[in-house]
């Protein structure tokens, strides 16, 4: 991951599987799932597949304002996608 130009952005990668990441915003405790490929991160929303740089600030921008979820919701999405959710992964393309 490249250095973050905004040192105040604090997004942690909680879990990774293949190209998918479960991330957490340290300040709020909110979670989200993103996909990382070729130096960029992408939303799982089929409507919004524009990428951001693969950095904490890029991940935060990608999921703002409505992509953050509580931990249980985000973990459920991550589990569905990474645990045999191949069909879902193809659907979001």
């Amino acid at each position: 991951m490249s250095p973050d130009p905004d040192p105040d952005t604090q997004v942690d990668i909680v879990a990774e599987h293949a190209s998918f990441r479960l991330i957490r915003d340290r300040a709020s405790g909110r979670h989200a799932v993103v996909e990382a490929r070729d130096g960029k991160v992408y939303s799982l929303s089929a409507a919004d597949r524009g990428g951001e740089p693969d950095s904490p600030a890029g991940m935060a921008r990608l999921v703002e304002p409505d992509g953050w979820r509580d931990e249980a919701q985000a973990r459920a999405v991550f589990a569905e996608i990474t645990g045999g959710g191949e069909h879902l992964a193809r659907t979001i393309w």
Side-chain angles (χ1 to χ4, degrees):
M1 195 177 306
S2 60
D4 187 0
D6 180 358
D8 294 332
T9 301
Q10 296 186 1
V11 174
D12 295 319
I13 298 170
V14 176
E16 286 186 86
H17 181 59
S19 62
F20 298 102
R21 292 179 182 163
L22 174 64
I23 61 172
R24 178 179 63 96
D25 174 51
R26 280 189 217 161
S28 69
R30 300 173 300 172
H31 289 68
V33 179
V34 298
E35 184 176 14
R37 292 181 280 109
D38 300 323
K40 291 194 175 229
V41 289
Y42 298 90
S43 170
L44 298 186
S45 169
D48 180 21
R49 290 296 290 175
E52 288 283 344
D54 187 358
S55 68
M59 288 185 278
R61 278 192 306 273
L62 182 69
V63 296
E64 288 295 341
D66 60 356
W68 293 107
R69 303 283 180 255
D70 69 38
E71 183 176 0
Q73 290 173 319
R75 283 188 181 278
V77 170
F78 186 74
E80 183 174 352
I81 290 172
T82 61
E86 185 108 0
H87 172 71
L88 178 61
R90 289 179 203 201
T91 303
I92 63 174
W93 281 91

